[in-house]
Amino acid sequence: MANALGIVSPSVHCFRRRNRAPLGLDGSERKTALICLAAADGGVEGRVLDSTSSRSCRPRFVGMGSKLVGCGSAVPKLLISNDDLAQIVETSDEWISVRTGIHNRRVLSGNETLGGLAAAAAKGALQMAHVEAEEVDLVIMCTSTPDDLFGCGAQVQRDLGCKNAWAFDITAACSGFVVGLITATRFIKGGGFQNILVVGGDVLSRYVDWTDRGTCILFGDAAGAVLVQACGSDEDGLLGFDLHSDGHGQRQLNAPAKDDHSNFISNNNGTSLFPPKKASYSCIQMNGKEVFRFAVRCVPQSIEAALEEAGLTSSSIDWLLLHQANQRIIDAVATRLEIPSDKVISNLANYGNTSAASIPLALDEAVRTGKVQAGNTIATAGFGAGLTWGSVIMRWK
């Protein structure tokens, strides 16, 4: 696929636990190794390793499991329908819905911000988990569109009142939430953290060319969050995972920085010296056909690898929850995995592609409507710009 499509490099590496080669995108064998996925039975669980560390107020334990105990979501007030977009570009509700499955999307308006959506989603997760803000040890903000150049994780931490927490941002586009979720479980397993908020949120409406019907029909704004909590290894809800990235596919989906052409002080030969060019980001540019081909090939492979790590098959999962990019992609992946449509979670029609928010947003709706029940096994996958993609097999509560 790599050479034929020019999307994914055949040398792309994945994070794996055992030496195997099911994921060579060009059909070649590949061996890589990293990451322990489950605490050993018995072992060192609960053993204090370092009570004199910089986090001495809390003993450090290793070998702990992780479980999802709460979720929340938030969307902007303004709803933009396909009919609304038909007033801006040459399109129609039928044209958009047939090709994408999308009917509506939410877009920031007024004083709304990504940080505000993220804080609201995180509060919902805390309330469901019956955890106070002061009990949170870490806030991971997964976004490619922060309110501030330097990220907004710390601002979300502040707004929530998580005064005992550390916070940072992760940028991995539509794979961001999956990366953040896996990162949270590693902090619990080896760092002694007990309660971690993972927030996925994006406001891609800021970077959409609303005159380009190829992209403006796709994206919406939202935030979703989960509370990941430490538990014993026998309760571990992170059953397996798989991660990839390949910068060779960046040209297929991007929003590159662009220079502001201003007046510059030049030397005698005309070369500009000062001041440096101001930069801003261009609108989202996407080769839809190539991204579709990448997703329907790589995502099923990634999920199968994560299932293998978990010792499960596709028939063992209760729900398939993919990044909500396009209904055709969701349907194609489900078909390749032989997962029936009644086991597929999708809310794409109401919100569009909300990037890092899409998985936790759909999960929150499925939990609160009673679709997802305690003990259910969920296969989830994110994929998008970078290119990045990855999968997690997880158990709800």
Side-chain angles (χ1 to χ4, degrees):
M1 173 180 158
N3 295 333
L5 301 183
I7 299 179
V8 182
S9 166
S11 62
V12 59
H13 297 290
C14 59
F15 291 91
R16 314 208 39 77
R17 186 181 177 187
R18 295 185 290 274
N19 289 333
R20 274 197 300 286
L23 288 176
L25 301 182
D26 60 347
S28 62
E29 182 171 332
R30 182 172 57 245
K31 295 182 179 179
T32 52
L34 197 63
I35 304 298
C36 290
L37 295 179
D41 293 337
V44 295
E45 179 181 332
R47 178 163 62 88
V48 178
L49 290 187
D50 182 9
S51 60
T52 61
S53 68
S54 60
R55 300 176 73 246
S56 58
C57 60
R58 187 189 307 110
R60 294 188 67 189
F61 300 89
V62 299
M64 300 297 290
S66 306
K67 60 181 179 180
L68 303 180
V69 295
C71 56
S73 60
V75 297
K77 297 177 182 177
L78 180 61
L79 183 149
I80 302 296
S81 68
N82 290 346
D83 290 332
D84 293 328
L85 290 180
Q87 305 302 311
I88 303 173
V89 294
E90 185 179 351
T91 190
S92 67
D93 177 64
E94 180 183 10
W95 192 92
I96 296 172
S97 60
V98 166
R99 288 163 177 78
T100 68
I102 300 169
H103 290 280
N104 300 298
R105 71 281 297 144
R106 300 296 185 98
V107 174
L108 287 185
S109 63
N111 296 323
E112 292 176 323
T113 63
L114 173 64
L117 295 177
K123 287 178 182 177
L126 289 174
Q127 290 170 358
M128 181 181 290
H130 303 291
V131 171
E132 299 297 324
E134 294 82 1
E135 299 176 272
V136 175
D137 302 309
L138 175 61
V139 177
I140 302 176
M141 183 68 214
C142 310
T143 185
S144 300
T145 55
D147 296 324
D148 187 288
L149 173 66
F150 300 113
C152 60
Q155 286 69 50
V156 173
Q157 172 216 5
R158 174 201 63 199
D159 294 344
L160 291 170
C162 299
K163 60 183 180 181
N164 297 314
W166 176 44
F168 65 89
D169 290 62
I170 285 178
T171 299
C174 302
S175 303
F177 178 77
V178 168
V179 176
L181 181 60
I182 295 168
T183 301
T185 66
R186 302 307 93 185
F187 273 100
I188 288 173
K189 185 175 291 294
F193 289 71
Q194 298 296 308
N195 293 298
I196 300 179
L197 275 170
V198 182
V199 186
D202 271 304
V203 286
L204 290 176
S205 63
R206 292 172 172 169
Y207 302 97
V208 165
D209 178 356
W210 292 99
T211 66
D212 174 18
R213 81 168 180 175
T215 56
C216 76
I217 63 174
L218 299 174
F219 300 103
D221 303 334
V226 296
L227 195 285
V228 185
Q229 192 170 73
C231 64
S233 60
D234 58 333
E235 297 180 278
D236 196 353
L238 194 287
L239 307 178
F241 68 85
D242 179 77
L243 290 170
H244 302 261
S245 63
D246 183 10
H248 290 85
Q250 182 266 349
R251 64 185 180 276
Q252 310 296 352
L253 177 55
N254 57 69
K258 59 180 181 179
D259 294 328
D260 176 25
H261 298 287
S262 303
N263 294 323
F264 300 98
I265 299 174
S266 303
N267 60 14
N268 291 334
N269 63 11
T271 303
S272 60
L273 297 176
F274 186 83
K277 297 178 181 179
K278 285 186 177 181
S280 59
Y281 289 100
S282 65
C283 292
I284 296 169
Q285 303 170 27
M286 182 177 69
N287 184 332
K289 290 183 179 180
E290 299 294 6
V291 171
F292 177 88
R293 295 171 71 182
F294 145 71
V296 300
R297 172 73 179 273
C298 293
V299 173
Q301 292 178 330
S302 180
I303 292 175
E304 287 173 342
L307 283 168
E308 186 175 353
E309 294 285 5
L312 300 173
T313 64
S314 60
S315 62
S316 304
I317 69 171
D318 297 297
W319 299 105
L320 176 66
L321 172 52
L322 302 179
H323 163 53
Q324 306 288 289
N326 183 300
Q327 193 61 46
R328 286 181 172 180
I329 292 175
I330 295 172
D331 294 342
V333 172
T335 298
R336 294 198 178 197
L337 294 172
E338 299 183 344
I339 296 174
S341 59
D342 60 355
K343 287 189 174 184
V344 178
I345 296 173
S346 176
N347 65 354
L348 176 70
N350 297 323
Y351 302 106
N353 180 344
T354 57
S355 190
S358 74
I359 292 173
L361 172 62
L363 174 65
D364 186 48
E365 285 197 346
V367 169
R368 293 181 187 274
T369 58
K371 179 178 288 188
V372 171
Q373 299 288 323
N376 281 179
T377 300
I378 304 169
T380 187
F383 51 92
L387 296 171
T388 60
W389 67 103
S391 304
V392 172
I393 310 302
M394 60 187 182
R395 183 185 300 114
W396 175 250
K397 293 192 175 183

